[in-house]
């Protein structure tokens, strides 16, 4: 069957078509329905050719998994040429092995984090469509805005970024160098949810395109994010290995959602023989996903959560605080795919304390000499806890993601 997009909330299907589709047309009609578009694709991939491929650009190497690629074929445009034309400099990132632990190091990726991968998925989709609108918008607490600014600049698009007050001067500097229009969004008394997200929504209403790492606004960021996992899985396959588990930090949820989607597609294409168990990590300061997972009793209930969203997912009530400030989203916007992954693989969602976050970051820097920030090493904090409880055994193959580079000295 040709690739298509399926709304998990209302069931509407979007076929490969010339019209731009970033979100479900019914989004916003009912707060109880989770209008999240999911790519449905049947990738046909030769394992031997994939393992033999020397291609380093992940968007070209894994093109068979892209809705945008299927669309390019239908529209008769050259996908690889498009990727090369708007590429800000992507290449495969390192995977470090420490016995049974595999660490994907994204701190040297475009913009210093994994975020640019997500937005490259969107940039490619827009370019395949020959989209004429050039005004893009993103909300972010730093890394996503930076990643987006590199990708938007390479594609010659204008970018509005909505960020919280008090970011490090270095972040503003990079954004300015990439010609992003910056709006600082303080909390407003009586307003629910993240003010950056609310101002971003207002910008979309005025005609800008969602260039965000939030699936309900922009499904296409998810297929960009999948490349991170495709790289891990391919490198393991080259060594005849498969993962037993993966521990992923969760803020808005796009990173972990991309992971579940990527594992499912590799499994569907018979490239791996099993799904790894999915573990999600949030802070004690804000854990809307952990709260949702605790409310879902079993897999049967999972079938109706997208039609009863407010029972499971709502904005965190108090202003969240943590040294891992990159995963303090009020809402886990991309929550469904993660809970599906957790329930179908017998994983879990856990919280980590500030002390655990700090200890993991110290270990990451001292043992592996990687300049990762606290958000970036928070998956490792979760793994240390899961190892200690015996939930993940030491002889199991497990992966974590060091997602973002440290940009300044953190406060104690
Ligand atoms: Zn829908």
């Amino acid at each position: 069957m040709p690739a298509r997009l399926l709304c998990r909330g209302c069931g509407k299907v979007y076929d490969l078509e010339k019209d731009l589709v970033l979100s479900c047309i019914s989004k916003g009609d009912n707060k109880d329905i989770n209008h999240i578009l999911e790519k449905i694709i049947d990738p046909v991939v030769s394992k031997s050719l994939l393992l033999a491929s020397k291609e380093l650009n992940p968007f070209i190497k894994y093109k068979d998994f892209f809705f945008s690629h299927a669309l390019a074929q239908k529209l008769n445009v050259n996908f690889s040429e498009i990727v090369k034309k708007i590429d800000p400099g992507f290449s495969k990132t390192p995977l470090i092995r420490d016995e049974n632990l595999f660490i994907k190091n994204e701190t040297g990726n475009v913009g210093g984090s994994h975020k640019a991968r997500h937005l490259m998925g969107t940039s490619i989709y827009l370019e395949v469509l020959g989209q004429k609108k050039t005004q893009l918008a993103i909300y972010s607490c730093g890394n996503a805005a930076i990643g987006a600014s590199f990708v938007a600049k390479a594609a010659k698009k204008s970018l509005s970024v909505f960020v919280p007050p008090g970011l490090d001067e270095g972040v503003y500097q990079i954004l300015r160098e990439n010609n992003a229009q910056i709006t600082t969004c303080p909390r407003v008394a009586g307003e629910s949810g993240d003010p950056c997200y609310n101002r971003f929504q207002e910008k979309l209403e005025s005609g800008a395109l969602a260039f965000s790492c939030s699936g309900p606004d922009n499904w296409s960021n998810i297929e960009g994010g999948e490349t991170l996992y495709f790289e891990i899985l391919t490198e393991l396959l080259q060594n005849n290995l498969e993962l037993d588990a993966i521990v992923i930090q969760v803020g808005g949820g796009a990173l972990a959602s991309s992971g579940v989607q990527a594992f499912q597609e590799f499994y569907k294409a018979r490239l791996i023989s099993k799904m790894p168990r999915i573990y999600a990590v949030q802070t004690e300061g804000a854990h809307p996903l952990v709260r949702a997972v605790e409310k879902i009793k079993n897999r049967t209930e999972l079938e109706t959560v997208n039609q009863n969203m407010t029972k499971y997912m709502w904005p965190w009530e108090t202003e969240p605080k943590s040294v891992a400030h990159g995963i303090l989203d009020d809402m886990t916007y991309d929550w469904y795919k993660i809970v599906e992954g957790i329930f179908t693989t017998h994983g879990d969602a856990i919280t980590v304390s500030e002390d655990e976050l700090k200890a993991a970051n110290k270990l990451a820097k001292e043992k592996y000499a990687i300049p990762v920030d606290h958000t970036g090493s928070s998956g490792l904090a979760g793994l240390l806890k899961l190892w200690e409880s015996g939930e993940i055994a030491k002889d199991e193959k497990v992966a974590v993601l060091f997602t973002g580079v440290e940009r300044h000295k953190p406060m104690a």
Side-chain angles (χ1 to χ4, degrees), residues 302-322:
L302 197 62
E303 289 166 20
T304 54
V305 296
N306 285 315
Q307 289 74 40
N308 299 285
M309 176 150 97
T310 48
K311 256 174 84 177
Y312 308 100
M313 184 56 63
W314 63 92
W316 201 248
E317 284 83 353
T318 49
E319 185 175 350
K321 289 201 167 48
S322 172

Side-chain angles (χ1 to χ4, degrees), residues 7 9-12 14 24-27 33-37:
C7 178
C10 70
K12 184 169 169 55
Y14 298 81
C24 181
I25 49 166
S26 300
K27 180 169 82 91
I33 298 187
N34 184 22
H35 290 282
I36 177 90
L37 294 184

